[in-house]
Amino acid sequence: MILAATTNESLANTANVLVYSSMAVYTLAFFAHIVEWVAGSRSKVGRTAAALTGAGATAAAAKVEVRTAKKEKGGGTAVLERPKVVTRSVAGRRDVPDGPGAAGGTEKGDLYGRIAVSMTALGFLLEAAGVISRAMAVQRAPWGNMYEFSTTFSTVAVGTYLAFLLAKRNVRWIGLPLVTTVLLNLGIATTVLYTDSDQLVPALHSYWLWIHVSTAIFCGAVFYLGAVGTLFYLLRDVYESKIARGATVGRAWSSVMERLPAAATLDKFSYRVNAAVFPLWTFTIIAGAIWAGDAWGRYWGWDPKEVWSFITWVAYACYLHARATAGWKGRKAATLALVAFGCWLFNYYGVNIFVTGKHSYAGV
C-alpha cells in the first residue's frame, strides 16, 4: 500500500514536470511563429496575388509564377508555393487567391515556421506524456476534474492540428493562435484549476467516462480549430471587401491579411470541420444521457451542464443550417459559429466554476 502510494505520487510529480516542460517548449514555438511572421517578407508573388481581383486573377497569377520561375533560374529568391485562386462563397464577389502563408512565401520565413512546428510537435509529445503519467498516477481516465480536462483538451487540440499538417493541409496559419491559446489554457490549468490527483466521485465510476468525456474533449478541440478559422475568415473578409472598394489599408494589417488564405478558403475550412464533428457532438450528448440514466436513474434532469450542452448543440445546428441557406452565408453564419463556440466555452468554464449541479467536478 505504502509502495503503491509512493509510486502514484512519483507519477503525479512526473506528470506535473512534463506539463511544465511542454509549456516551456510551447513558449519556444510561440516565439518561432512570431519570427516566422516577421522574417517572412512578402514575396512579389505574395504581394501581387493578394492584390489580384476580377476575372483575370488566374491568368495574372500564372504570369507571376512564370516570371518568378525565371528569376529562380537566375539565382533569385525562391518562392515556396504559388497561391491558389479560389472562388468566394458570397455571391457577387470577385475571385481572390490564397496568400502565401505566414512565411510570406520565402525560404527564410519557412525555416522559422518549420522550427515552430517542430517545437509544437515536441511540446505535444511532452504534454501527452504528462497526461498519460497522470492517468497512471490516478489509475483511471485522466479527466476527472477541470485541470485534467484542460491538459487533455490542449493535447488533443495540438494533436488535431498536427494531424492536419501530416495530411498536407494548409493550416500552418493556425499555429500562432493555437500555441498562444494552449499556453493560456495550461497557465490557467496549472494555477487556478490545479487539483491534486485523487479518485473519482462515485457517479463517475463507469466505462461511459471513457466514451462520453473523450468524445466531448475531441469535439471541443475541433470546434476550437473551427472557431479560429471562422475568426480569421471574418477578418479576411472585411479586408477583401476594403480592397475591392479601393479603400486604404494599413501596411502592417495588409501584411498579415495578405499571407492568410482567402476568405472563401477559411470559410470552407471552418464549415467542413464544424460539420464533420457535429454528429460526434450529438453522440456525446446521447452518451451523456445514457450515462445519466445508469448513474442517476434519469436520462435528462435539466442539470446546468445538460442544458448548456444542448444549447451548444442547438447553436451549432443553427450555424450549419444558416451556412446551407443562401441568405445566411458569409458573415452572418460565421457570427453564429462564434456564438456557438462561445456557448461551448461557457459550458466548460462557466458551468463548471460558477454554477452548482451534478456535473460540478471542477475541484477548484
Side-chain angles (χ1 to χ4, degrees):
M1 292 288 292
I2 297 177
L3 179 61
T6 303
T7 302
N8 291 342
E9 183 179 356
S10 177
L11 285 171
N13 292 333
T14 300
N16 294 337
V17 171
L18 287 170
V19 170
Y20 279 111
S21 299
S22 70
M23 293 176 65
V25 177
Y26 283 138
T27 302
L28 295 178
F30 170 79
F31 285 116
H33 274 299
I34 292 292
V35 176
E36 175 190 14
W37 281 88
V38 173
S41 60
R42 288 174 294 166
S43 64
K44 187 174 182 180
V45 169
R47 294 195 306 269
T48 306
L52 290 175
T53 55
T58 305
K63 290 179 181 178
V64 172
E65 181 186 23
V66 172
R67 287 198 298 269
T68 305
K70 291 180 179 179
K71 276 191 174 182
E72 289 177 2
K73 291 180 180 179
T77 301
V79 176
L80 301 175
E81 184 178 323
R82 180 178 66 85
K84 179 180 65 176
V85 176
V86 298
T87 303
R88 298 187 48 178
S89 60
V90 181
R93 299 291 189 181
R94 298 182 178 91
D95 292 349
V96 177
D98 287 341
T106 67
E107 290 182 339
K108 182 178 181 181
D110 184 65
L111 172 62
Y112 287 106
R114 291 177 184 274
I115 292 174
V117 171
S118 299
M119 291 294 101
T120 302
L122 178 57
F124 164 76
L125 293 176
L126 290 171
E127 189 179 10
V131 171
I132 294 173
S133 297
R134 178 80 173 196
M136 295 173 62
V138 297
Q139 298 179 354
R140 56 168 172 78
W143 41 72
N145 51 60
M146 287 187 69
Y147 167 75
E148 295 173 355
F149 190 101
S150 295
T151 54
T152 306
F153 169 78
S154 58
T155 303
V156 175
V158 175
T160 305
Y161 163 71
L162 294 174
F164 274 118
L165 290 178
L166 288 175
K168 306 299 182 182
R169 301 298 181 185
N170 179 24
V171 295
R172 207 162 79 187
W173 46 271
I174 297 179
L176 181 57
L178 175 67
V179 295
T180 303
T181 308
V182 165
L183 283 171
L184 178 62
N185 177 64
L186 291 178
I188 295 174
T190 55
T191 54
V192 179
L193 303 179
Y194 182 77
T195 305
D196 290 329
S197 58
D198 199 359
Q199 292 305 309
L200 298 173
V201 296
L204 293 182
H205 283 286
S206 172
Y207 62 89
W208 282 105
L209 175 67
W210 292 91
I211 301 173
H212 171 66
V213 182
S214 62
T215 54
I217 291 173
F218 179 75
C219 288
V222 178
F223 281 149
Y224 163 76
L225 296 180
V228 173
T230 301
L231 180 61
F232 278 152
Y233 159 72
L234 289 172
L235 296 175
R236 173 80 189 200
D237 188 64
V238 171
Y239 171 76
E240 290 179 8
S241 297
K242 288 184 177 181
I243 294 299
R245 294 196 310 267
T248 302
V249 181
R251 178 177 296 180
W253 185 243
S254 177
S255 174
V256 173
M257 290 294 104
E258 285 180 11
R259 302 188 197 188
L260 292 175
T265 302
L266 293 168
D267 183 44
K268 185 185 300 182
F269 169 81
S270 303
Y271 172 69
R272 286 181 174 178
V273 296
N274 285 327
V277 81
F278 180 73
L280 192 59
W281 181 249
T282 304
F283 170 78
T284 301
I285 296 176
I286 295 173
I290 297 174
W291 187 9
D294 290 343
W296 301 313
R298 91 290 188 279
Y299 295 102
W300 186 268
W302 297 102
D303 184 77
K305 177 68 71 172
E306 297 170 352
V307 171
W308 274 96
S309 295
F310 181 68
I311 290 174
T312 303
W313 184 90
V314 171
Y316 273 106
C318 290
Y319 159 70
L320 295 176
H321 176 72
R323 182 60 176 72
T325 303
W328 274 80
K329 285 185 178 181
R331 297 180 191 177
K332 293 181 180 179
T335 302
L336 277 177
L338 291 182
V339 170
F341 184 69
C343 291
W344 188 91
L345 284 178
F346 182 79
N347 184 32
Y348 175 53
Y349 286 105
V351 172
N352 283 355
I353 296 176
F354 303 112
V355 182
T356 301
K358 289 183 176 297
H359 291 80
S360 299
Y361 307 127
V364 296

